[in-house]
Amino acid sequence: MKFIVYPFLVLSFFSCSTAVTSEKNQTPLKEAIDYVDPNIGTAHSRWFFYTPAAVPFGMAKLGPSTNGSYGNENGWEAVGYDGRHTSIEGFANLHEFQIGGFLFTGITGELQTTPGSLEDPESGYRSRFNKEEEIATPGYYKVKLEDYDVTAELTATKRVGFQKYTFPESDESYLLFDIGNQLGESGKVKDASVTFNEDNTIEGWVITYPEYVKKYQPEGEIRMYFSGVIDKVPGEVGTFKGEEIFANTKEQTGNGAGLYLKFNTEEGEAILIKTDFSYTSVENARLNLETEAKNMSFEEARKSAQQVWSSELNKIKVTDTSEVNKTKFYTGLYHALLGRGLGNDVNGHFPENDGTVGQIPLDENGEPEFTFYNTDSVWGAFWNLTQLWTLAWPEYYNDFVQSQLAVYKNSGWLGDGLANSKFVSGVGTNFVGLIIASAYQSGIRDYDVELAFRAAYENEVRHLDRNPGAGKTDLGQFVNKGYIEYVPGWDTTPGGSAFSVSHTLEYSYSSYAVAQFAKALGKEKEYRELMKLSKNWKNLYDDSIDFVRPKTAYRRVSC
């Protein structure tokens, strides 16, 4: 791959990850990872924002949940972890846009099987916690559940989540696995299953129907699978559905399905849950665990995660001497590297848009030729995020393009946002064609270029029978009339949009970007067509006010 990099005055790139010391006093100097504060911005934040126990672009993204079980009526409300809350209901394992699943926790005393409320923590298994004793750094999280005198620690590899619970002396110590309830942005649960096996493993799955899938791909659904191992044999196994407990049972299915393990513990005894995840099958979750972390300890995983974070964050050196500015920058960079997560298994299996399981081609070593990623909607990302990828993470940018092309080959459309390949457009737009054109123009080209151009070109001009999941349902007016008519309200349809001006300007810009892609490939016909479309913004320019403004639909009035 050839990459073109443009220098920035305030940033320089390097690959050193060793500790730096001051010659004067030999005290360690702060590295990039030391400036990251995951707790900044956690008030009223989105579901996928707070996942300290994760690696960059990983699948396993672990973090505490204070109100993730509360639901998500419209698919975008702030649920998950809120730094203003004073109790934790448990620790969720998957955090993506429209994806959330598998809440685990540890308790002592009376068995409780519902999370309870923030207003009344004792109404469920949630626990109060002390913010002053909470530790959150890239790759690691620790907190004490004060109501139970249980300390929870979290870390992760790419696909494996590690949860370690240190208990007091008790003959009523429990691990809870809440599988079949709505969590974060996952939407309503359609079905679920959890099973405890004789080899001390626990496995299961959940199928959900997120609000954005409901809106943009109504026939779709989200499937999540897990396979985990516990390092201590329980004294008792049972299941639950809501408040109904089924003692001495090892399997539960349906909405609300959950499982508990009961232990006798000594003071300071730790029990480890090592869990792998998959979006395709329980079998692949097992394979992921076997391949990625079979013999890995919690401390090894924690050390590895923090080394990865240090290496990635250290790719950018900030020369500003302000500690505050460095904290802002590296915390922001940390979130940029968490924003889109791994979606394929170690064998290259990944969820297709049509609900089947796809296969990424394997190289001569049997490794997938690219990595498939889920993604939040990319409207606006082309102003800043793709530039960051180009400069420091071009290999990720290339995989992002490959992921989008995989969905295009399966569905015939590009998707602005993807949740396990399902269309989850944020606001009904689609700038993936622009992003693909930008990748090519930046020298990021390790994919089928002709396929990429066809996908990008169709995203700018193909409007007949356009899939709502592909966004831009008002594209026909842009292509045929030269602008998009203003229609009051919030909806965008083939008949116009309330965002008529912004859409006209945005589509003009993306047409220009893809036109440059066409020009670079010598496609003169498409270049001229797209350049003509790129000037459509002029149709909404009013020289009497020296500004753009909407046009309403013209209606002939009969006398």
Side-chain angles (χ1 to χ4, degrees), residues 157 219 296 370 407 458:
T157 63
E219 76 282 5
M296 185 177 287
F370 66 89
V407 173
E458 289 183 357

Side-chain angles (χ1 to χ4, degrees), residues 277-297:
F277 309 98
S278 170
Y279 296 128
T280 63
S281 69
V282 169
E283 292 75 17
N284 276 334
R286 289 188 205 127
L287 177 63
N288 292 340
L289 179 58
E290 180 79 13
T291 304
E292 201 167 283
K294 179 181 179 181
N295 298 313
M296 185 177 287
S297 69

Side-chain angles (χ1 to χ4, degrees), residues 462-525:
R462 185 180 168 199
H463 56 86
L464 293 176
D465 300 320
R466 191 173 178 93
N467 189 320
K472 299 173 71 167
T473 53
D474 52 358
L475 184 62
Q477 287 196 347
F478 178 79
V479 172
N480 296 321
K481 288 190 173 185
Y483 66 94
I484 295 164
E485 294 176 350
Y486 172 76
V487 177
W490 290 96
D491 294 332
T492 295
T493 71
S497 174
F499 310 102
S500 62
V501 174
S502 61
H503 284 188
T504 299
L505 298 179
E506 290 166 348
Y507 301 173
S508 296
Y509 179 72
S510 60
S511 294
Y512 180 86
V514 179
Q516 308 317 303
F517 192 5
K519 184 178 182 180
L521 297 178
K523 298 181 183 295
E524 283 298 317
K525 176 178 175 293

Side-chain angles (χ1 to χ4, degrees), residues 171-242:
D171 57 4
E172 293 184 316
S173 293
Y174 294 92
L175 290 176
L176 303 182
F177 302 83
D178 197 335
I179 307 304
N181 288 303
Q182 183 175 359
L183 196 58
E185 295 181 358
S186 66
K188 301 296 184 183
V189 171
K190 297 177 69 174
D191 201 2
S193 175
V194 59
T195 302
F196 184 79
N197 301 310
E198 296 300 325
D199 59 355
N200 227 45
T201 59
I202 180 170
E203 297 179 326
W205 47 265
V206 63
I207 304 172
T208 66
Y209 194 36
E211 292 302 314
Y212 278 45
V213 172
K214 184 189 301 183
K215 180 177 181 180
Y216 291 107
Q217 193 170 348
E219 76 282 5
E221 60 189 17
I222 299 297
R223 292 173 175 260
M224 296 163 273
Y225 304 85
F226 77 95
S227 178
V229 59
I230 298 95
D231 69 351
K232 180 174 181 175
V233 177
E236 180 183 326
V237 181
T239 63
F240 59 88
K241 275 190 173 183

Side-chain angles (χ1 to χ4, degrees), residues 84-137:
R84 300 168 297 181
H85 294 162
T86 58
S87 65
I88 289 172
E89 58 188 4
F91 304 91
N93 290 275
L94 297 175
H95 293 80
E96 297 287 353
F97 180 52
Q98 303 299 293
I99 297 175
F102 311 136
L103 189 76
F104 301 169
T105 195
I107 66 172
T108 57
E110 180 186 0
L111 175 62
Q112 298 194 76
T113 55
T114 59
S117 67
L118 288 163
E119 296 76 19
D120 182 14
E122 294 180 3
S123 62
Y125 55 66
R126 70 170 56 241
S127 171
R128 300 169 183 86
F129 71 107
N130 186 345
K131 291 286 295 182
E132 300 302 318
E133 297 180 359
E134 183 183 43
I135 298 174
T137 62

Side-chain angles (χ1 to χ4, degrees), residues 169-368:
E169 181 179 359
S170 174
D171 57 4
E172 293 184 316
S173 293
Y174 294 92
L175 290 176
L176 303 182
F177 302 83
D178 197 335
I179 307 304
N181 288 303
Q182 183 175 359
L183 196 58
E185 295 181 358
S186 66
K188 301 296 184 183
V189 171
K190 297 177 69 174
D191 201 2
S193 175
V194 59
T195 302
F196 184 79
N197 301 310
E198 296 300 325
D199 59 355
N200 227 45
T201 59
I202 180 170
E203 297 179 326
W205 47 265
V206 63
I207 304 172
T208 66
Y209 194 36
E211 292 302 314
Y212 278 45
V213 172
K214 184 189 301 183
K215 180 177 181 180
Y216 291 107
Q217 193 170 348
E219 76 282 5
E221 60 189 17
I222 299 297
R223 292 173 175 260
M224 296 163 273
Y225 304 85
F226 77 95
S227 178
V229 59
I230 298 95
D231 69 351
K232 180 174 181 175
V233 177
E236 180 183 326
V237 181
T239 63
F240 59 88
K241 275 190 173 183
E243 295 182 346
E244 188 174 5
I245 296 173
F246 304 86
N248 301 312
T249 59
K250 296 183 177 182
E251 182 176 3
Q252 190 60 259
T253 59
N255 199 312
L259 185 141
Y260 68 87
L261 306 178
K262 185 178 182 181
F263 303 88
N264 290 328
T265 56
E266 299 177 357
E267 180 69 31
E269 183 177 356
I271 301 177
L272 176 65
I273 311 167
K274 192 188 307 186
T275 314
D276 203 292
F277 309 98
S278 170
Y279 296 128
T280 63
S281 69
V282 169
E283 292 75 17
N284 276 334
R286 289 188 205 127
L287 177 63
N288 292 340
L289 179 58
E290 180 79 13
T291 304
E292 201 167 283
K294 179 181 179 181
N295 298 313
M296 185 177 287
S297 69
F298 183 93
E299 286 305 317
E300 288 171 336
R302 174 187 174 183
K303 182 179 179 181
S304 175
Q306 294 186 314
Q307 285 176 338
V308 171
W309 273 112
S310 183
S311 176
E312 295 304 306
L313 292 168
N314 278 338
K315 286 182 177 179
I316 302 180
K317 180 180 179 181
V318 177
T319 58
D320 191 329
T321 58
S322 168
E323 297 285 296
V324 171
N325 287 345
K326 287 181 180 179
T327 297
K328 290 178 180 178
F329 178 84
Y330 285 113
T331 300
L333 180 60
Y334 157 78
H335 285 293
L337 298 179
L338 275 177
R340 285 145 177 86
L342 184 64
N344 68 278
D345 302 309
V346 293
N347 59 7
H349 287 180
F350 72 99
E352 292 273 26
N353 178 271
D354 64 2
T356 61
V357 175
Q359 174 67 61
I360 298 171
L362 305 179
D363 63 18
E364 63 276 9
N365 298 315
E367 300 291 330

